[in-house]
Amino acid sequence: MTTRAPKDIDLASLADSISADAKTITDILNQEKLPQPTLSACGPMKYPGGPEMARLQEARMNLLTSAWALEQLAAGPQDYIYWQAYSAKHDLTVLNAFARFGVFEAVPTSGDISYVDLAAKLPLTERQLRRLFRHAMTKNVFYEPRPDHVAHTSLSMAPVKKRSLGPWINHNLGEILPASSRLADAIEKYGDSQEPNEVALGIAWNLEKGKGLFDWFKNDGEGSRKGWRARQFAEAMESMDGGGHDVQFVAEGFDWGSLGEAIVIDVGGSSGHISISLAEKFPALRLVVQDLPEVETAFDALVPDDLKSRVSFQAHNFMEPQPQEDAKVFLLRHVLHDWPDGIAVQILRNLITGEHGVMKDGTRIVVADNVMPLKGTVPTPIERLTTTADLQMWTVLNALERRKEDWIELFKQVDERLDPVAFFQPEGSSDTVIEVVFCK
């Protein structure tokens, strides 16, 4: 895959490309008797995935890339940059207000509701609602089917159908957005620091010196509310089944079936959504989700009763030596990209030298994480997810998204006995699954 030079991008060629890719998607969905994308509230939530849909996903990535470029050319350079700086922040703050005040759920899933009646259900006035909705509707989030009434589109229905999108919005727009606006301030203050507490997040939220993201999550709130941010974060992570982060890619990226009856430790596994997915697909596996004690409530609420015999929770801080000794695989999904190299090395060393001695020969570490691609080697929408994650990690933890050579060097720093035997990126995934074998 190569990147088109800017001089080769023009309105006519983009329009032709969009037309061809839209027809490919439409034809495949019709052939498979699947619903077409629509802004109607009853429309499908996402496109079908899997290897059999590779051609559809390729057309979809091409379509998105062309549509973004078409928007830029249609706006013109001056207006595009002007509008981005002026409007984009309000696109996000409106979503944040809707999630925080329960607006998505308050609008009926069928039919419509008047602004007056909606205001009676919410801690917002009619005037405030009208102002929020008026801007959101310019992006097809909600619409007015008749004067003074509002109804759902497929976009506004998404947080209703997938409840974890609410916490996802609250985390990213309520917690990270204020911090991202202070990234330049952090660069000016700390330079190219690798310390996880010298970050934009600390400036934005005036965190106590020496305290970082996870201290804040763990200790924020009083009484029964203490740790509410950690619980919200765990719920937000459940939403990462989409946008290139589908849980199916963890299953596709490693041969889990070859393990037979085996124990898998999901290190930093949050509320267990990845382990649940693996348990459903591979009935011989037993999975242990390890995370901080504050997350156990979210885990208990998520794991189905029929899987509780095979998916369990263990309170454990991965900054301490690993207590499990019989695991065949230690899974770390979106864990190591949270930390600069020095701390990532310690997390991995804690797996190798656990409470009960050195890791067994042949034990595997499976890392599902971003690998920063070379420019032009992946579709632009997937590349944007990786660069977004890189900036997010920089903003909150001074961490980063690593290139392939960075990952290899990281494992070498940890222990010469770690052998990264495979880097596999499933079709459509923004994550790469890295298989590492411990060889004594």
Side-chain angles (χ1 to χ4, degrees):
M1 180 179 296
T2 58
T3 305
R4 294 175 67 181
K7 64 182 179 61
D8 296 330
I9 299 174
D10 61 75
L11 285 171
S13 65
L14 286 172
D16 290 342
S17 175
I18 287 170
S19 178
D21 289 321
K23 186 176 186 306
T24 296
I25 293 170
T26 300
D27 289 347
I28 291 173
L29 292 174
N30 282 335
Q31 290 165 11
E32 299 297 326
K33 296 182 171 55
L34 294 170
Q36 296 288 336
T38 173
L39 289 174
S40 170
C42 60
M45 281 278 281
K46 56 187 291 189
Y47 283 89
E52 68 279 4
M53 288 292 170
R55 185 163 160 259
L56 180 146
Q57 290 295 338
E58 180 183 7
R60 177 176 166 245
M61 293 297 106
N62 291 338
L63 180 58
L64 278 168
T65 303
S66 297
W68 293 342
L70 185 66
E71 177 192 9
Q72 293 161 349
L73 291 188
Q78 179 176 311
D79 282 350
Y80 179 77
I81 296 298
Y82 178 89
W83 290 342
Q84 281 291 106
Y86 192 38
S87 300
K89 61 185 180 293
H90 297 299
D91 298 341
L92 303 178
T93 53
V94 164
L95 287 180
N96 187 33
F98 285 161
R100 179 175 297 186
F101 298 117
V103 176
F104 291 116
E105 294 81 7
V107 175
T109 56
S110 61
D112 57 39
I113 187 171
S114 70
Y115 290 112
V116 173
D117 290 342
L118 185 58
K121 299 169 62 176
L122 296 169
L124 295 167
T125 65
E126 179 187 347
R127 184 173 72 167
Q128 289 173 321
L129 283 171
R130 286 181 182 273
R131 296 174 75 179
L132 293 169
F133 277 114
R134 186 69 182 267
H135 186 75
M137 288 174 185
T138 66
K139 285 283 192 174
N140 295 315
V141 179
F142 295 105
Y143 80 112
E144 279 192 356
R146 54 185 174 135
D148 299 319
H149 288 70
V150 62
H152 276 293
T153 64
S154 59
L155 302 183
S156 58
M157 274 292 287
V160 179
K161 292 180 177 179
K162 190 175 183 64
R163 295 290 180 172
S164 58
L165 282 175
W168 178 255
I169 293 170
N170 288 330
H171 167 62
N172 277 283
L173 305 186
E175 296 173 343
I176 308 303
L177 181 59
S180 66
S181 70
R182 305 301 299 273
L183 180 59
D185 294 329
I187 294 171
E188 194 170 69
K189 182 175 182 178
Y190 299 122
D192 192 13
S193 173
Q194 303 301 299
E195 293 298 321
N197 303 323
E198 296 180 346
V199 291
L201 181 88
I203 296 174
W205 290 97
N206 195 28
L207 299 186
E208 182 183 343
K209 186 175 181 179
K211 301 296 182 183
L213 176 73
F214 296 111
D215 300 302
W216 183 43
F217 279 3
K218 182 178 179 180
N219 297 308
D220 202 30
E222 300 292 337
S224 61
R225 287 275 292 167
K226 189 170 184 177
W228 70 272
R229 290 190 190 274
R231 293 189 289 274
Q232 175 178 268
F233 181 72
E235 293 168 359
M237 293 302 99
E238 296 169 25
S239 70
M240 295 187 73
D241 180 17
H245 294 297
D246 301 52
V247 296
Q248 74 186 51
F249 295 136
V250 177
E252 294 173 6
F254 177 73
D255 189 2
W256 298 98
S258 67
L259 298 176
E261 293 185 1
I263 297 173
V264 175
I265 309 301
D266 187 356
V267 180
S270 192
S271 57
H273 52 289
I274 298 299
S275 286
I276 291 169
S277 174
L278 290 175
E280 290 171 340
K281 292 180 173 67
F282 305 99
L285 294 182
R286 287 197 295 124
L287 298 109
V288 179
V289 178
Q290 291 181 340
D291 215 302
L292 299 176
E294 295 79 15
V295 177
E296 188 167 7
T297 300
F299 170 86
D300 290 338
L302 185 65
V303 64
D305 289 339
D306 63 330
L307 291 180
K308 287 183 176 178
S309 63
R310 293 195 296 114
V311 183
S312 59
F313 185 88
Q314 181 179 33
H316 174 64
N317 184 341
F318 51 56
M319 297 298 182
E320 300 172 358
Q322 174 59 229
Q324 293 280 348
E325 58 180 325
D326 295 323
K328 283 190 177 180
V329 172
F330 291 94
L331 169 64
L332 294 93
R333 179 180 186 261
H334 295 173
V335 171
L336 297 178
H337 80 149
D338 285 346
W339 302 101
D341 285 351
I343 298 177
V345 165
Q346 188 57 51
I347 292 169
L348 289 167
R349 283 179 180 162
N350 283 337
L351 296 181
I352 295 172
T353 307
E355 291 181 2
H356 304 287
V358 179
M359 179 182 281
K360 294 178 181 178
D361 186 50
T363 299
R364 280 163 164 72
I365 299 173
V366 173
V367 175
D369 225 321
N370 289 313
V371 174
M372 186 64 77
L374 296 173
K375 185 65 182 174
T377 59
V378 297
T380 299
I382 299 300
E383 183 179 1
R384 275 183 62 82
L385 284 171
T386 307
T387 57
T388 295
D390 186 52
L391 290 174
Q392 183 116 333
M393 294 304 101
W394 186 5
T395 297
V396 301
L397 289 160
N398 265 338
L400 72 162
E401 301 304 340
R402 298 172 173 89
R403 301 167 301 168
K404 182 176 180 179
E405 54 265 38
D406 296 328
W407 281 108
I408 293 171
E409 178 59 30
L410 181 71
F411 298 130
K412 184 178 179 180
Q413 286 184 51
V414 174
D415 196 303
E416 292 285 354
R417 294 169 292 182
L418 285 182
D419 182 16
V421 298
F423 285 75
F424 178 67
Q425 185 172 16
E427 185 73 32
S429 173
S430 65
D431 294 332
T432 296
V433 179
I434 310 169
E435 180 184 354
V436 184
V437 181
F438 181 72
C439 304
K440 285 189 177 180

